[in-house]
Amino acid sequence: MPALIPPPGYSRIKVVKSFDELVATRFKDGVNALCWERALAGDFGEIVDLLGVSEGITTLDDSRLAALPVSAAGRPAIDALLEDQRLIRALDLSPVLDCIHAYPRDEEPGPVPTHVYSFHADSATDEADTYLCTYHGAPSEGLRNDEARRRVDIPETRAELLKNFGGEDGDAFLEYLAENCYQLHYAPAPQARPFSFGVGNLWRIAVDYPGSPVPPCIHRAPETVVGESARLLLIS
């Protein structure tokens, strides 16, 4: 089971010891990712096998989850999934639990990929953050902010985007970038070493919103590998 291995010397990640600490800790002093590191009991792979997901994304509601005919090993896993959602819903949030075989990709690939396999930041119009946990399968990956560059700031990419836009590099162009979420995607530096979010860990990460005291946490979904088991992911 992949564990959390923070990048050495990287101070933007803080490990916490409880859900209450995960919720209460403020993003400040450069910290933009909080991790409640856990070793969860239960066979989450059994849940994935029973769902039989072979393509795309299947969203699970509580009733379907509770009705799965799991063994004694699978029951603690279901209890953990239901409890995490209960805790997050108590914050007036709406967690989504997905069994993911593969995410859709861009129908017409352009100079900036906008699918979730690309390193990106989440965004909001007001103060917000993202909670996520991979319970089974390949976990999410993070990228150090100092090893990332916005793709729209790469001269060659920006020139191609301007060509597609058909106008000048001004306010209208910036609106075009925002409408297509181009400004949220990042290219890793040549020496970059992405880090794993690990399996079973519950994360709270900073998003891009006006007035945020810290830069957003850059992350991506792992590449789909043929023959590997589907992911079980909670996100809110």
Side-chain angles (χ1 to χ4, degrees):
M1 180 178 293
L4 169 66
I5 305 177
Y10 190 57
S11 59
R12 293 196 184 278
I13 299 171
K14 180 177 181 179
V15 176
V16 299
K17 301 299 184 182
S18 68
F19 183 77
D20 287 345
E21 187 180 0
L22 184 72
V23 173
T25 303
R26 300 286 297 175
F27 290 127
K28 62 180 183 178
D29 300 328
V31 173
N32 64 3
L34 303 169
C35 174
W36 179 19
E37 192 172 11
R38 310 181 294 179
L40 298 176
D43 187 350
F44 293 89
E46 181 183 2
I47 296 172
V48 171
D49 291 342
L50 287 171
L51 291 170
V53 175
S54 60
E55 62 181 16
I57 302 172
T58 298
T59 299
L60 307 176
D61 59 27
D62 289 1
S63 58
R64 181 175 182 182
L65 192 61
L68 288 174
V70 294
S71 68
R75 179 52 53 187
I78 286 182
D79 290 344
L81 295 171
L82 293 173
E83 176 63 7
D84 279 354
Q85 292 182 85
R86 184 192 69 79
L87 289 170
I88 293 175
R89 287 176 184 141
L91 304 175
D92 290 328
L93 299 176
S94 301
V96 175
L97 180 64
D98 288 329
C99 187
I100 305 159
H101 183 76
Y103 287 102
R105 293 182 180 271
D106 300 335
E107 293 184 5
E108 298 181 5
V112 175
T114 57
H115 50 68
V116 295
Y117 298 113
S118 165
F119 280 114
H120 63 279
D122 297 338
S123 68
T125 56
D126 298 299
E127 183 175 358
D129 40 36
T130 296
Y131 288 83
L132 73 163
C133 176
T134 302
Y135 300 94
H136 180 77
S140 303
E141 294 180 325
L143 184 66
R144 295 173 59 130
N145 293 81
D146 57 358
E147 293 183 346
R149 186 180 185 186
R150 288 199 316 169
R151 292 184 181 273
V152 299
D153 294 329
I154 298 172
E156 297 82 1
T157 302
R158 198 173 188 89
E160 192 169 350
L161 288 167
L162 277 166
K163 181 179 178 181
N164 293 346
F165 172 64
E168 299 294 326
D169 192 342
D171 290 343
F173 178 61
L174 296 180
E175 291 180 9
Y176 165 77
L177 296 180
E179 288 171 0
N180 291 280
C181 298
Y182 292 143
Q183 86 287 3
L184 296 175
H185 287 262
Y186 293 77
Q191 78 282 4
R193 300 185 64 181
F195 59 91
S196 174
F197 277 30
V199 173
N201 304 323
L202 182 58
W203 288 75
R204 178 175 150 237
I205 61 175
V207 309
D208 187 349
Y209 68 87
S212 174
V214 296
C217 178
I218 301 168
H219 61 290
R220 71 177 177 187
E223 285 285 349
T224 301
V225 178
V226 176
E228 284 196 355
S229 181
R231 297 179 73 204
L232 198 57
L233 175 75
L234 180 147
I235 189 165
S236 179

